[in-house]
Amino acid sequence: MSTHPEHSPEGTPCADVVLRLFEFVDDETEPLDRHRIQAHLDECSACLAEYEMDLLLKALVRRACARQSAPAELRAQILTRITIVHRTDG
């Protein structure tokens, strides 16, 4: 397993993997990208450490926010923006 941050064992640069780790953690990647990122993590200890930190951060945020809900006004604003994004994308 590589510890060099620029190592790309299967052709995917470390920088590309690190940029997409949040998508990977949230299971929002396409199957091919997911496979490519997982293969990279299997071979690169530096990126695996970044991935584990993202998992820890996600767990901490989930735990810290478990008892609090967003204010109704904020929820409405977010839902409005999501709707606008969907309309402009589609």
Side-chain angles (χ1 to χ4, degrees), residues 8-70:
S8 178
E10 78 307 318
T12 305
C14 293
D16 290 351
V17 170
V18 170
L19 283 174
R20 303 201 61 205
L21 281 179
F22 278 111
E23 294 174 55
F24 185 78
V25 166
D26 291 336
D27 199 22
E28 295 176 348
T29 56
E30 296 294 325
L32 180 61
D33 288 336
R34 184 161 191 81
H35 174 74
R36 195 173 315 155
I37 291 170
Q38 184 62 60
H40 186 96
L41 294 177
D42 290 344
E43 298 294 324
C44 181
S45 62
C47 289
L48 181 62
E50 291 285 334
Y51 168 69
E52 290 173 346
M53 286 178 44
D54 287 352
L55 286 178
L56 179 61
L57 177 62
K58 184 176 180 175
L60 289 172
V61 169
R62 182 182 303 133
R63 188 173 69 193
C65 297
R67 296 183 197 134
Q68 298 179 1
S69 59

